[in-house]
Amino acid sequence: MANTTVAVIGGGPAGLAAGASAASLGSEVVIIEKLPFLGGRPIEENYASLTPYLRSAEEAMGEVIDHALSFENLTVMLDSKVIAVTGDPGDFVLEVQSGEEVVSLTAGSIIVATGFQHFDPGRETQMYGYYEFDDVIALQDLEAMLKEGRVQRPSNGEEPKRVCFVQCVGSRDRQIGNEYCSKVCCGVASKEAIEVRLAVPGVEVFIFYIDMRMYGYWESQIYWPAQEKHHVQYVKGIISEVLPKDGRLLVRGEDTTMGRPMEVLMDLVVLSVGMEPSMGTREIAGILGIEQNKYGFIEAVKGPLDTVATSREGIFAVGSALGPADLEDCSSTGGYAGARATAFIRSHAKAGI
Amino acid sequence: MANTTVAVIGGGPAGLAAGASAASLGSEVVIIEKLPFLGGRPIEENYASLTPYLRSAEEAMGEVIDHALSFENLTVMLDSKVIAVTGDPGDFVLEVQSGEEVVSLTAGSIIVATGFQHFDPGRETQMYGYYEFDDVIALQDLEAMLKEGRVQRPSNGEEPKRVCFVQCVGSRDRQIGNEYCSKVCCGVASKEAIEVRLAVPGVEVFIFYIDMRMYGYWESQIYWPAQEKHHVQYVKGIISEVLPKDGRLLVRGEDTTMGRPMEVLMDLVVLSVGMEPSMGTREIAGILGIEQNKYGFIEAVKGPLDTVATSREGIFAVGSALGPADLEDCSSTGGYAGARATAFIRSHAKAGI
């Protein structure tokens, strides 16, 4: 008898959407998550709120998790990691390290939802002092602070008077090998800038950017309110280094609009780090034998009109396992892949293979 | 007995993806298209090629159409327009004007794929002379020219020596009421700029932009090659008007990087017009009684983690009916909505309503 199970590897926003979609169509679904909880990066990294509506990440992801778990034909394996896959499309066999034991499960189709990791701003050519100076933090560090309801300088616990965001850290950068744009950092930084303005009375907030990539509705939903209502100050410029000075941080670069060198003192510097494929994404690509692009993300081999197909029949990829993705992308590709995996299993069964 | 038909209104990239997805899952599908052919804007407006891979629009859309038509349980009504909808979720009745006659059909669920139209650059405050000067054209006019294998000045049939693109025409503009960014115009203009450089030896090509919104892979797939390989010249600036001068076009504005007024002579000016909801999108929203946002697009009422739900149960929306969308968005939301409509019909049937 044909195997009617869809194995979803990864329980973040895209994996949960994929699992719920496949389950809603009658497939047996197993979501395999390496962490002891569902929700992906927004939960793992303690995001305060989601872009663009500043809705509580815990609440919004909670609803997504509850929806997935509402299907009787969907089960979840936590603390679990796929370590080997054999068999063929329609009849895969997954070896899963689940806690202490290794279990074997079969699946007709596989959905890869292993996501991204944040670029490590201490790497190589980065002159921002992320590991040297306490008050240089990254987008996700500020998220975690905002979730705790505080915005402080890690060095002394004081509220900052001047905060800046440095865009494109680890993105659009040939030297480090990430030529792509990470898509969401302009929106996330602007959202966090608004939250900092709301949290700290009188704080000045600057965003140093190359292009503000507030595509679609983000322009009117975040970018305009950030400027007009919350008085976030956007400066087109390129930051080359961050240095300590008089207990504060000296941010050096070039104001490209004014065409002159720039040196400004800040209390808190937030690096808008980009997306790279997670270790899980790199590993599973090798295990499954599916094509990756030069950056290590899973290649969507069929191009823009078929967003979730990988190089192997019966295996689909979703969300930021495919490359930089916003939450809408995760929802849509996840939901689509649930349909594709289900249809694949049924056509395979019908063909009597 | 429960109605197992999904009615898809619109046969462009998103509607075809939705139809194929629902059909692959066993739903009966009817795609209702107002034009005498399938394919949507890329075919209707004679796009030469698709972003980002410069693949022939006719060939790529041909494959999408063939795939949809390969399902025996999918039928297409051309020259057809939904004029009234009654009934309830699970049991809708659609009145369709099909050619000369009005036919009635029932559907358990409806997917709205009625898309966008290009902003009319002759409207109101636009000082670009689109209707006054032959050599001022829009993105889709250049597409049609490129499809015919020529790049000419409409005024005299000569090849242009200098071509410029003016970004954000009808987007990011409060005065005309379109505060949103249209998402794809930076990518499309850059793609066309490359094609102009390839078609006309020695032509100079400029793009006047506010921010280049080359999100995700478009940065490395289009933006970098446009600059480095094809020598397209990007100038951060705002164009205020276009005037005739000595048989050419005088483009006036401000070079915001250099901080000075700018006047340049061009042979061909291409307006990067944005997206507005199509008439079909505006009309169907009223007919179905589903919420629209202030711009007239269909409101995705559930937010970024549920991209295709509308304000009415059993009715889903996809692609650029929801707002500015690229082809990936059309594929993903279309495919997802096919799943949602199918699952809705089945759960409705199971509930025995």
Side-chain angles (χ1 to χ4, degrees), chain B residues 57 86 109 148 179 207 276 282 302 321 338 345 350:
Chain B
T86 54
S109 180
E148 290 178 9
E179 287 100 348
I207 297 185
E276 291 191 329
R282 293 179 192 275
K302 298 266 185 78
I345 286 172
K350 206 177 278 177

Side-chain angles (χ1 to χ4, degrees), chain A residues 78-83 95-103:
Chain A
L78 297 175
D79 281 315
S80 298
K81 205 176 149 180
V82 175
I83 52 175
E95 302 290 317
V96 182
Q97 178 80 45
S98 189
E100 297 298 298
E101 55 178 347
V102 175
V103 296

Side-chain angles (χ1 to χ4, degrees), chain B residues 15-159:
Chain B
L16 289 163
S21 175
S24 77
L25 296 164
S27 288
E28 296 294 318
V29 174
V30 184
I31 296 179
I32 303 160
E33 168 57 51
K34 71 176 191 306
L35 296 173
F37 49 83
L38 294 171
R41 293 275 161 205
I43 302 303
E44 182 185 3
E45 303 204 85
N46 296 299
Y47 290 5
S49 71
L50 300 182
T51 306
Y53 295 114
L54 279 71
R55 186 159 178 233
S56 154
E58 216 162 304
E59 192 185 291
M61 286 310 304
E63 284 181 11
V64 171
I65 294 167
D66 288 348
H67 176 62
L69 296 180
S70 73
F71 294 97
E72 282 173 18
N73 50 331
L74 182 149
T75 57
V76 174
M77 297 174 71
L78 298 175
D79 281 316
S80 297
K81 204 176 150 179
V82 175
I83 53 175
V85 176
T86 54
D88 295 300
D91 243 325
F92 293 110
V93 182
L94 291 77
E95 301 290 315
V96 183
Q97 177 80 46
S98 189
E100 296 298 299
E101 55 178 346
V102 175
V103 296
S104 180
L105 61 95
T106 59
S109 180
I110 296 172
I111 297 174
V112 177
T114 43
F116 76 101
Q117 65 188 26
H118 286 104
F119 175 76
D120 179 347
R123 224 177 75 193
E124 301 163 18
T125 60
Q126 306 297 307
M127 308 292 284
Y128 304 121
Y130 181 72
Y131 291 109
E132 287 83 358
F133 316 128
D134 291 343
D135 298 333
V136 177
I137 63 176
L139 282 181
Q140 66 273 27
D141 303 322
L142 180 54
E143 280 289 343
M145 257 195 226
L146 287 163
K147 189 173 179 182
E148 290 178 9
R150 61 187 176 88
V151 176
Q152 294 169 340
R153 306 182 71 202
S155 64
N156 61 10
E158 287 175 10
E159 281 194 340

